[in-house]
Amino acid sequence: MNQDLQKERAGASFKPELLTNVLDGSPENTRRRREIENLILKDPDFQHENLNFLSRSQRYEVAVKKSATMVEKMRKFGIADPDEIMWFKKLHMVNFVEPVGLNYSMFIPTLLNQGTTAQQEKWLHSSKGLEIIGTYAQTEMGHGTHLRGLETTATYDPETQEFILNSPTVTSIKWWPGGLGKTSNHAIVLAQLITQGKCYGLHAFIVPIRELGTHKPLPGITVGDIGPKFGYDEMDNGYLKMDNYRIPRENMLMKHAQVKPDGTYVKPLSNKLTYGTMVFIRSFLVGESARCLSKACTIAIRYSAVRHQSEIKPGEPEPQILDYQTQQYKLFPLLATAYAFQFVGAYMKETYHRINEDIGHGDLSELPELHALTAGLKAFTSWTANAGIEACRMACGGHGYSHCSGLPNIYVNFTPTCTFEGENTVMMLQTARFLMKSYDQVHSGKLVCGMVSYLNDLPSQRIQPQQVAVWPTAVDINSPDSLTEAYKLRAARLVEIAAKNLQTEVIRRKSKEVAWNLTSIDLVRASEAHCHYVAVKLFTEKVLQIQEKSIQAVLRRLCLLYSLYGISQNAGDFLQGSIMTESQITQVNERIKELLTAIRPDAVALVDAFDFQDVTLGSVLGRYDGNVYENMFEWAKKSPLNKTEVHESYKHLKSLHSKL
Amino acid sequence: MVGSPVHRVSAEDAWSRSMHPDIESERHSQSFNVEELTNILDGGAQNTALRRKVESIIHSEPELSLKDNYFMTQNERYEAAIKKKFHILMLAQRLGWSEGSRELQYASRSVSGDLGFAIHHIFQKTIRSLGSEEQIAKWDPLCSKFQILGTYAQTEMGHGTYLQGLETEATYDAASQEFVVHSPTMTAIKWWPGDLGRSATHALVQAQLICSGARQGMHAFIVPIRSLDDHSPLPGITIGDIGPKMDFDHTDNGFLKLDHVRIPRENMLNRFAQVLPDGTYVKLGVPKSNYLSMVAVRVDMLLGEVLPLLQSRLRPSDPEAKVLDYQTQQQKLFPPLAMAYAFHFVANNLLEFFRHSYSSILDGDFALLPELHALSAGLKAKLSDFCTQGVEQCRRACGGHGYSKLSGLPSLLTRVTASCTYEGENTVLYLQTARFLIKSYLNTQKSPGSASKGSLPQSVAYLTAPEVARCPARTAADFLHPELYTKAWAHVAVRLIKDSVHHLQTLRQAGADEHDAWNQTTVIHVQATKAHLYYVTVKIFTEALEKLESQPAIQQVLKRLCDLYALHGILTNAGDFLHDGFLSGAQTDMARKAYLDLLPLIRKDAILLTDAFDFTDQCLNSALGCYDGHAYERLFQWAQKSPTNTEGNPAYEKYIRPLLQGRRARL
């Protein structure tokens, strides 16, 4: 064990194990998670060469092999609970990228949500056992988050009782679906349904794409890999072009909408239900933001404790870079953010399960707010985590740029989260739509409930940006509760400003759509402020629930840092809204620096508590034992370029000299 | 067709003969002459013509095509980069392009810098700036003729930006008149230098000089590392490639471990310091002179690497031009566009200043070195930070397709982001500028009669300008006056610099020792430095505009970008402007209104403004960003060339087939 890390761990004010239990939800969860992780770590079938030294084709092959092994092992180990499946996959995939992933995350859930009982009977068993491998093809080359713009058509032919699928333009080619390129033999395709000469909008169809037995593309199907990407090397994201391709009528998923044999279209009862899968994935992504940022913080903070550089005082040995104020200022707010998002993620998961039960009982009342909240929080947390991971990488200096740090991998695999499952700006605007609706509701005299209930206070407050002392009480910068109030006021103010600007534009422009576009920057700001408030509020509430004194103390410091740092970064909003005074902002900045010093002794223990295995981190810099440099040298020596002492390309160098 | 923008279109694509209608309509009504703006960026119409001539030569050479880059392994990229460099050198010889000529610069730009031996030139430059006349006479021709290949080995595994912390030692042995160069620890292994892993025959090693038993600090030594006959490592040298990185696959960043390697006394670069045969150490310059080559590299880097990356990123990457009509999309793309133009003028300005001071420094006049050092350090940090952020923002603004390597965007990002940590980690650089600012500020506080109070260096002269406590703006339109926002930035910079000095002094008076006090205030110093650099860049941009009076249409369109650049910064740092009441809440709202009103005005010219950068399609190498706008056709065609589609699927035979067929039997 590296001596610096040993000292850091000995000096911590709390036991990381207890905090790990908080993060896992219970000591029992921690135990079971580790048990599952160890199953994989000790299993020779999951060992393979370092992915960084492999070509893309080789990485894809390793991933396919692991997926195949995984299916067998999960059955063998009796792992079926969704959380346990996630723990299992998280460790064995490292980057959580698997070519058959969409079979489980999209194909099967869609079948369950939208397929009839007969359809489930026909397809579910074989897809669960991977006798067929399915994917989900929605995005097209020219169309993404805006579903109604998709161009693929499914035209019903009553004579043969078949649908004829077509990709009428280049832009309509299905593009990006994971596992589509080389792995899957079926896809759920979203297409515009046309029957009896009329278009009824998007519907889902099960489409066989490769021949069983030979795996060759079926006639009428053009399918392949979309080529190299920023990350996701292991994934064969694919394209799919269909030319007059026929499938039987029964292949349309008909739980909600139906096409009768004669071509008559039967409308679904409610379209809210299709939100279900999206809400689930987006709330999962909030947790994923937390996990990836936590990983990056673990690597950067451990390495900063091991790395010595420059000098604070002349003549003394080089200090650990974690002792530099600027380094603390880069990393500790991110560490606090990682904790905040961990708790936001846990809250989203609980809420989803709770509301899902309500839906089971036919109660859809909370679904609109949940839908709005997951959209905004997915965007808010993924934007923040995206920038945070990159900041962690740069905080590791030059070595962060090497794949041995593991940070480039985390970044390139995380960053698509900002654009997939709903582009973030579009997500923020969905939340804004809900905020505007709630605002209007309050103004028409109705109360709103849930996270937006603060809007109920607006009419009585009569916000006037320039007037000081409008707010009932002064903000106490040492009280998380009081800071939550401050965030609430900021959100209320920005929602009101956006709403008023929108009204003004509506009057001036006469078209709601144009007005909406001309207010969209304000609307995104309002959504961000709302999400920021939610994060601060959830963190504050979580701290209060903790019994153990030492854990509560350290989390309280992180919670304060998270809240104060956000105020410092957005000081303009708090000053302009007269929520805080100039001297308070100065105090906030001073208090942040005190908190950096207070958190410093616990920094390593705080990242230890995330309890990532070295394999999951995939980082030489972030090793638990801190033996960074020896291992970096060993790692580099394994690089394929070092297989020979003189590289074959020397021939070019040699001829250079003779020819010039 | 050379000389007109049409030459940019890739001829081999059938659909390129027509323009995509969306993009054509963007170019239909021009509020200014794109060609004239391109000329301004190139520094004259002759340069534009020369650049296009060079580009057409480069693009007609199949050996220099970038087409397969995205499908190559690290090994293949390296080999291709060496091959390209070799090819360009042959071309240069044939066409008489001399070393350091514009032609060679343009050639490098047209292959996006994807060439081998980049560090070889830094090796050569360092010898020119730190070597004696004799040394230059000996080594320079060898470099120019590529009879030796050099690398610059400063960074070590455990040590980076902080020069004095390096551990590699060069101990003088008077008996043999040799230096013994040695890596005493694991952390002392040289790590990261480009061209070191597989190419270089010589390394310029930065090491602690030890002579007559005393440590004399960092000096540069020329160390032969590979045999000139068979390229094998020389005795005592352990060398290799440091393995895969985020990018720079074409460069063989390497490691170098020296085990008591002996080199002759003459191999220490001795323009500013030398060791006499008996071991006596003689100093000829100031301690900072060692930084000279770093300053030179930074200036070079800004001009050669960082800026083109940002600019090339800003092509109409999203073919659905209509996406540009969304206000949120404009908010994402136009500030980086404004930055690309701002930084163009900033880089030119810095280069001018560098040329002016460099020659006097080589002659032993160090008066301008502190300002040059502070300015180049700070601007390198700011530009690389902003370019990285801007570039990533553009990538994400392209939605999912920005994630495909075929868009060209990921590789541009991974390349520019490296610039945030190499040639000086950015935070360290901000703090170097901060020290200069504090010194300059304290200088203004000395009593007027004091002898040491000289005139302030030009970039900090504003520290003595008269105070304005309140912003005079009364309407949104007032925020479109360059003088008003330049003063606003000056005000905030001065306040923050004062504030950071005040904090430092308070801690000192409370008894903290100098170094603790510094460490405790570094966060505010960085903040103050960033405000200073924003002010400097706004000022340079506004001054550049004044020189464009004879071209009013271009001046107008660039002024909008300048306004946007200044206001974007004010709004994202609104707290700093509201803090002491310099801006009121109402004025902040006016600034925001002015900013939002600029977006649709810039919208009209957005495509033309990116056209003016005049990047060829071949150089952008992006399926999305082509001049003709036919993004989707190209994306589809390029994807089909991917080896994943052309080389069969071994994973199917090995795993998928058993999975699909065997399962039933085994279950």
Side-chain angles (χ1 to χ4, degrees):
Chain A
M1 178 80 63
N2 171 285
Q3 284 187 348
D4 286 315
L5 281 185
Q6 219 161 10
K7 253 188 272 169
E8 295 290 337
R9 289 182 177 126
S13 72
F14 68 99
K15 282 208 190 88
E17 181 72 15
L18 297 176
L19 187 48
T20 305
N21 296 339
V22 171
L23 291 171
D24 282 323
S26 73
E28 170 53 24
N29 281 356
T30 305
R31 193 198 58 74
R32 177 65 177 155
R33 176 175 56 76
R34 287 191 185 144
E35 188 177 69
I36 290 171
E37 288 175 353
N38 282 326
L39 285 176
I40 296 160
L41 288 178
K42 291 184 182 140
D43 193 329
D45 290 348
F46 283 120
Q47 309 304 317
H48 58 85
E49 209 182 323
N50 189 317
L51 291 177
N52 288 308
F53 300 139
L54 302 181
S55 70
R56 202 184 146 220
S57 289
Q58 290 168 320
R59 286 172 82 146
Y60 166 68
E61 194 171 325
V62 167
V64 172
K65 179 183 168 205
K66 281 212 250 178
S67 294
T69 316
M70 178 199 72
V71 175
E72 283 167 35
K73 299 272 171 173
M74 288 211 297
R75 187 160 300 149
K76 191 176 144 202
F77 298 146
I79 294 168
D81 175 82
D83 270 345
E84 299 196 347
I85 291 175
M86 198 189 73
W87 294 333
F88 188 87
K89 288 189 177 178
K90 196 167 73 179
L91 204 70
H92 93 90
M93 296 312 299
V94 182
N95 288 330
F96 213 58
V97 176
E98 54 173 340
V100 300
L102 264 75
N103 184 60
Y104 296 102
S105 65
M106 291 302 293
F107 187 84
I108 293 176
T110 309
L111 200 55
L112 287 169
N113 275 333
Q114 299 181 38
T116 60
T117 319
Q119 287 174 321
Q120 292 183 15
E121 261 168 32
K122 180 174 176 192
W123 301 99
L124 206 54
H125 181 72
S126 45
S127 58
K128 276 188 173 167
L130 284 184
E131 283 157 47
I132 65 168
I133 303 173
T135 180
Y136 182 85
Q138 175 178 307
T139 307
E140 295 174 0
M141 203 194 268
H143 312 276
T145 309
H146 181 65
L147 284 181
R148 274 165 290 168
L150 297 179
E151 294 178 84
T152 304
T153 54
T155 312
Y156 185 64
D157 174 3
E159 280 187 24
T160 58
Q161 300 200 11
E162 287 173 321
F163 289 104
I164 307 162
L165 288 156
N166 264 307
S167 313
T169 60
V170 178
T171 45
S172 74
I173 297 172
K174 294 288 177 189
W175 201 265
W176 280 112
L180 173 64
K182 298 276 138 184
T183 315
S184 304
N185 52 24
H186 283 69
I188 288 181
V189 169
L190 264 78
Q192 302 286 356
L193 167 65
I194 300 166
T195 178
Q196 297 177 337
K198 207 177 153 197
C199 180
Y200 288 95
L202 280 184
H203 291 75
F205 303 84
I206 296 184
V207 180
I209 51 176
R210 286 178 186 270
E211 187 184 41
L212 296 177
T214 65
H215 211 56
K216 287 203 177 116
L218 291 162
I221 296 282
T222 310
V223 68
D225 175 270
I226 63 161
K229 299 150 306 228
F230 202 21
Y232 272 67
D233 277 0
E234 295 82 2
M235 183 67 97
D236 54 323
N237 298 79
Y239 58 76
L240 172 65
K241 187 168 175 299
M242 293 169 290
D243 295 303
N244 289 314
Y245 184 70
R246 287 176 174 264
I247 54 169
R249 188 182 68 91
E250 294 76 28
N251 280 24
M252 172 174 148
L253 293 181
M254 297 213 215
K255 189 177 187 173
H256 306 304
Q258 289 175 33
V259 171
K260 300 279 181 202
D262 66 353
T264 313
Y265 180 74
V266 184
K267 253 198 331 197
L269 290 174
S270 158
N271 54 8
K272 272 185 194 165
L273 285 164
T274 47
Y275 287 169
T277 322
M278 280 193 293
V279 169
F280 168 70
I281 300 253
R282 285 174 195 161
S283 59
F284 169 79
L285 289 175
V286 173
E288 198 51 19
S289 300
R291 278 183 290 277
C292 290
L293 183 57
S294 304
K295 273 192 210 172
C297 285
T298 305
I299 295 168
I301 287 180
R302 282 184 186 157
Y303 176 62
S304 298
V306 170
R307 175 96 172 169
H308 291 252
Q309 182 75 19
S310 285
E311 51 187 21
I312 294 175
K313 297 180 190 183
E316 287 186 10
E318 293 184 279
Q320 292 161 282
I321 58 175
L322 201 53
D323 285 332
Y324 287 96
Q325 193 188 50
T326 45
Q327 189 76 353
Q328 295 169 1
Y329 191 68
K330 280 179 204 169
L331 294 176
F332 295 170
L334 294 174
L335 177 64
T337 306
Y339 271 93
F341 290 0
Q342 290 271 3
F343 299 131
V344 175
Y347 170 85
M348 291 308 303
K349 204 170 86 179
E350 276 164 35
T351 312
Y352 173 74
H353 286 306
R354 184 171 56 78
I355 292 183
N356 221 14
E357 271 175 36
D358 292 348
I359 294 172
H361 302 137
D363 174 7
L364 300 179
S365 60
E366 284 191 76
L367 199 56
E369 175 172 15
L370 182 67
H371 183 242
L373 195 61
T374 44
L377 283 175
K378 178 260 177 184
F380 178 73
T381 57
S382 62
W383 265 337
T384 312
N386 190 67
I389 293 165
E390 185 63 351
C392 286
R393 185 183 65 72
M394 286 199 251
C396 293
H399 291 326
Y401 194 74
S402 166
H403 275 301
C404 81
S405 75
L407 290 164
N409 252 327
I410 296 175
Y411 184 73
V412 298
N413 285 315
F414 178 76
T415 191
T417 312
C418 297
T419 46
F420 68 41
E421 296 304 333
E423 197 278 328
N424 276 357
T425 302
V426 179
M427 293 296 96
M428 281 297 187
L429 289 170
Q430 280 185 9
T431 304
R433 223 172 261 284
F434 179 74
L435 292 172
M436 292 304 109
K437 223 184 246 173
S438 304
Y439 178 87
D440 289 344
Q441 207 175 322
V442 168
H443 272 256
S444 63
K446 278 181 254 166
L447 290 184
V448 291
C449 57
M451 288 287 185
V452 289
S453 54
Y454 59 84
L455 295 175
N456 293 333
D457 305 335
L458 272 177
S460 60
Q461 275 166 346
R462 283 284 133 251
I463 293 181
Q464 286 167 5
Q466 298 317 311
Q467 223 167 332
V468 190
V470 171
W471 311 113
T473 46
V475 178
D476 172 3
I477 66 160
N478 283 310
S479 152
D481 278 332
S482 178
L483 293 172
T484 310
E485 284 300 305
Y487 274 94
K488 189 199 259 186
L489 294 173
R490 168 179 176 242
R493 177 174 170 269
L494 291 178
V495 168
E496 172 135 84
I497 288 175
K500 287 193 168 156
N501 289 349
L502 183 60
Q503 283 164 4
T504 315
E505 291 291 350
V506 168
I507 292 162
R508 229 198 298 174
R509 307 285 166 179
K510 298 195 177 89
S511 146
K512 271 189 181 169
E513 288 70 27
V514 174
W516 180 263
N517 185 31
L518 286 170
T519 326
S520 52
I521 291 177
D522 292 330
L523 290 164
V524 170
R525 264 178 96 206
S527 289
E528 279 181 320
H530 175 69
C531 293
H532 210 153
Y533 155 69
V534 170
V536 168
K537 178 180 151 75
L538 292 174
F539 199 167
T540 303
E541 286 171 0
K542 184 73 197 177
V543 171
L544 289 176
Q545 289 165 18
I546 309 264
Q547 302 293 322
E548 167 64 37
K549 283 274 170 290
S550 61
I551 304 291
Q552 200 194 37
V554 70
L555 284 183
R556 191 169 181 279
R557 284 195 280 274
L558 286 177
C559 179
L560 275 177
L561 180 63
Y562 178 69
S563 311
L564 294 174
Y565 184 76
I567 291 174
S568 165
Q569 294 298 298
N570 300 284
D573 290 347
F574 290 87
L575 283 170
Q576 208 186 348
S578 302
I579 301 163
M580 296 178 86
T581 63
E582 287 145 26
S583 76
Q584 277 181 317
I585 298 289
T586 307
Q587 285 168 34
V588 165
N589 289 328
E590 286 307 302
R591 187 77 182 104
I592 288 172
K593 285 187 265 173
E594 288 164 23
L595 285 165
L596 296 179
T597 313
I599 291 167
R600 168 68 187 86
D602 287 326
V604 169
L606 280 167
V607 299
D608 284 351
F610 290 133
D611 203 32
F612 288 113
Q613 302 264 10
D614 280 353
V615 184
T616 313
L617 291 178
S619 167
V620 174
L621 302 188
R623 294 170 62 94
Y624 184 81
D625 68 13
N627 294 326
V628 168
Y629 295 116
E630 302 80 338
N631 285 290
M632 197 188 298
F633 197 30
E634 289 310 309
W635 184 89
K637 283 189 207 158
K638 283 187 219 145
S639 169
L641 310 192
N642 289 326
K643 278 191 180 134
T644 54
E645 197 80 75
V646 176
H647 195 261
E648 55 190 272
S649 56
Y650 175 55
K651 56 180 189 269
H652 299 293
L653 303 178
K654 206 165 176 143
S655 64
L656 186 64
H657 177 205
S658 54
K659 284 188 197 163
L660 278 175
Chain B
M1 291 307 275
V2 169
S4 90
V6 180
H7 82 286
R8 286 176 291 208
V9 176
S10 346
E12 69 262 42
D13 300 330
W15 56 79
S16 285
R17 285 179 209 122
S18 70
M19 287 287 158
H20 193 286
D22 279 346
I23 204 132
E24 199 165 21
S25 70
E26 292 291 333
R27 297 191 175 108
H28 196 65
S29 60
Q30 306 200 347
S31 70
F32 67 97
N33 184 323
V34 176
E35 186 68 13
E36 278 179 30
L37 184 51
T38 302
N39 294 342
I40 291 171
L41 292 171
D42 280 324
Q46 293 141 310
N47 287 346
T48 305
L50 180 63
R51 178 174 54 71
R52 289 190 182 146
K53 190 177 130 199
V54 171
E55 283 168 352
S56 72
I57 293 171
I58 297 291
H59 293 326
S60 64
E61 301 279 327
E63 287 87 349
L64 296 173
S65 162
L66 303 175
K67 275 217 143 164
D68 295 328
N69 266 2
Y70 303 131
F71 303 134
M72 290 185 188
T73 65
Q74 192 184 354
N75 258 328
E76 291 162 347
R77 285 289 299 278
Y78 166 72
E79 196 167 333
I82 302 256
K83 202 175 84 185
K84 281 187 199 130
K85 176 75 180 185
F86 178 70
H87 206 81
I88 283 191
L89 289 170
M90 303 300 283
L91 266 182
Q93 200 178 40
R94 203 173 71 223
L95 301 170
W97 296 345
S98 61
E99 200 188 319
S101 62
R102 278 188 192 280
E103 285 92 340
L104 272 178
Q105 280 173 31
Y106 293 145
S108 173
R109 161 177 152 142
S110 62
V111 293
S112 293
D114 214 359
L115 297 171
F117 312 151
I119 312 299
H120 175 72
H121 297 289
I122 292 178
F123 174 82
Q124 189 171 10
K125 270 192 187 150
T126 310
I127 290 176
R128 284 181 194 164
S129 55
L130 299 182
S132 65
E133 296 306 322
E134 268 166 61
Q135 287 173 322
I136 295 172
K138 174 177 173 185
W139 296 100
D140 201 52
L142 294 174
C143 293
S144 294
K145 289 182 198 146
F146 288 88
Q147 283 169 325
I148 61 169
L149 277 173
T151 176
Y152 179 83
Q154 175 176 311
T155 304
E156 296 172 359
M157 201 196 269
H159 314 275
T161 311
Y162 177 66
L163 265 185
Q164 287 98 304
L166 298 179
E167 292 179 84
T168 304
E169 294 170 347
T171 312
Y172 185 65
D173 174 9
S176 62
Q177 298 202 14
E178 288 173 324
F179 290 104
V180 182
V181 194
H182 183 58
S183 319
T185 61
M186 174 73 75
T187 46
I189 298 173
K190 294 290 179 190
W191 202 268
W192 280 110
D195 298 346
L196 171 63
R198 288 180 279 173
S199 314
T201 60
H202 287 66
L204 207 115
V205 173
Q206 287 277 4
Q208 295 281 355
L209 168 64
I210 303 170
C211 58
S212 311
R215 289 188 163 254
Q216 302 291 357
M218 298 311 306
H219 291 74
F221 302 85
I222 299 175
V223 181
I225 52 175
R226 282 194 174 92
S227 155
L228 288 172
D229 299 322
D230 64 3
H231 212 60
S232 61
L234 293 171
I237 302 274
T238 310
I239 205 167
D241 179 277
I242 62 161
K245 299 145 297 194
M246 266 180 113
D247 201 328
F248 282 85
D249 277 358
H250 63 285
T251 303
D252 52 325
N253 297 83
F255 61 77
L256 169 66
K257 191 167 175 295
L258 298 143
D259 184 8
H260 297 97
V261 174
R262 289 182 165 262
I263 55 167
R265 187 179 66 91
E266 295 75 26
N267 281 21
M268 176 174 128
L269 294 186
N270 58 14
R271 177 186 285 268
F272 297 113
Q274 52 178 295
V275 175
L276 302 179
D278 66 353
T280 314
Y281 177 73
V282 185
K283 197 174 204 123
L284 306 163
V286 295
K288 287 234 160 158
S289 47
N290 210 345
Y291 289 120
L292 191 56
S293 61
M294 281 166 64
V295 172
V297 170
R298 268 175 214 150
V299 175
D300 247 35
M301 190 182 109
L302 289 182
L303 290 168
E305 284 275 326
V306 179
L307 260 182
L309 289 180
L310 179 66
Q311 294 176 345
S312 62
R313 176 55 58 92
L314 287 162
R315 273 303 288 279
S317 307
D318 208 306
E320 225 173 308
K322 283 180 184 159
V323 174
L324 261 184
D325 288 331
Y326 288 108
Q327 193 188 42
T328 48
Q329 190 75 355
Q330 296 169 1
Q331 150 104 332
K332 287 177 197 168
L333 291 176
F334 295 167
L337 178 65
M339 254 179 244
Y341 275 93
F343 295 168
H344 169 82
F345 295 111
V346 169
N348 275 356
N349 189 290
L350 183 64
L351 182 68
E352 233 166 78
F353 180 50
F354 175 73
R355 281 190 187 135
H356 166 65
S357 40
Y358 187 70
S359 53
S360 57
I361 291 169
L362 284 186
D363 295 336
D365 173 6
F366 296 99
L368 288 173
L369 187 58
E371 185 183 11
L372 179 62
H373 183 242
L375 209 55
S376 68
L379 286 174
K380 180 266 174 186
K382 181 185 162 84
L383 266 64
S384 58
D385 269 358
F386 276 66
C387 287
T388 302
Q389 283 163 22
V391 146
E392 175 65 348
Q393 200 162 312
C394 296
R395 185 185 68 75
R396 278 191 275 148
C398 290
H401 290 319
Y403 194 72
S404 168
K405 280 200 178 160
L406 305 181
S407 72
L409 304 169
S411 45
L412 284 175
L413 173 73
T414 49
R415 223 188 250 198
V416 75
T417 190
S419 64
C420 291
T421 49
Y422 68 60
E423 294 309 329
E425 196 277 328
N426 280 354
T427 303
V428 178
L429 295 182
Y430 283 129
L431 288 173
Q432 285 177 2
T433 307
R435 283 193 195 270
F436 174 75
L437 292 178
I438 291 167
K439 241 183 232 164
S440 306
Y441 177 76
L442 291 176
N443 220 10
T444 65
Q445 297 309 101
K446 284 179 186 154
S447 56
S450 158
S452 64
K453 176 164 177 169
S455 61
L456 282 177
Q458 184 207 345
S459 61
V460 285
Y462 71 104
L463 289 176
T464 54
E467 273 286 306
V468 188
R470 295 271 179 278
C471 175
R474 284 152 186 253
T475 63
D478 288 343
F479 278 96
L480 302 179
H481 289 297
E483 202 194 332
L484 184 124
Y485 54 67
T486 311
K487 277 197 175 148
W489 272 110
H491 172 86
V492 164
V494 172
R495 179 175 74 74
L496 289 171
I497 292 168
K498 262 189 201 168
D499 197 36
S500 67
V501 171
H502 173 73
H503 269 84
L504 194 62
Q505 286 171 341
T506 313
L507 279 174
R508 291 283 281 138
Q509 280 153 16
D513 94 354
E514 190 188 336
H515 309 286
D516 284 333
W518 174 258
N519 189 31
Q520 291 304 313
T521 47
T522 42
V523 168
I524 353 172
H525 292 317
V526 170
Q527 196 193 355
T529 305
K530 284 181 178 169
H532 163 73
L533 293 166
Y534 217 112
Y535 159 76
V536 168
T537 49
V538 167
K539 186 154 181 288
I540 291 172
F541 201 167
T542 56
E543 284 169 358
L545 287 180
E546 285 166 19
K547 290 179 195 149
L548 293 172
E549 259 174 7
S550 58
Q551 291 157 291
I554 287 182
Q555 192 187 35
Q556 187 191 32
V557 72
L558 287 182
K559 181 179 171 295
R560 284 181 195 140
L561 291 177
C562 182
D563 296 346
L564 189 81
Y565 175 67
L567 293 178
H568 178 72
I570 290 175
L571 292 170
T572 42
N573 297 282
D576 289 339
F577 290 83
L578 286 160
H579 191 92
D580 58 349
F582 179 77
L583 284 190
S584 67
Q587 284 173 321
T588 310
D589 286 339
M590 289 170 202
R592 180 163 280 115
K593 181 171 185 326
Y595 168 82
L596 291 176
D597 289 347
L598 279 168
L599 295 176
L601 293 176
I602 295 171
R603 165 68 187 89
K604 285 187 297 184
D605 297 320
I607 298 294
L608 299 175
L609 281 166
T610 62
D611 283 351
F613 293 131
D614 202 28
F615 283 99
T616 59
D617 282 353
Q618 291 94 331
C619 159
L620 286 178
N621 202 18
S622 163
L624 298 186
C626 287
Y627 187 79
D628 62 21
H630 290 291
Y632 296 123
E633 292 82 351
R634 214 169 256 107
L635 202 53
F636 190 42
Q637 198 201 43
W638 286 16
Q640 290 177 65
K641 289 187 199 152
S642 169
T644 42
N645 292 324
T646 56
E647 290 175 3
N649 183 1
Y652 172 71
E653 293 303 327
K654 284 194 218 166
Y655 307 107
I656 300 178
R657 187 208 290 275
L659 196 64
L660 293 170
Q661 297 177 343
R663 179 154 311 279
R664 203 184 304 262
R666 259 186 289 154
L667 286 178

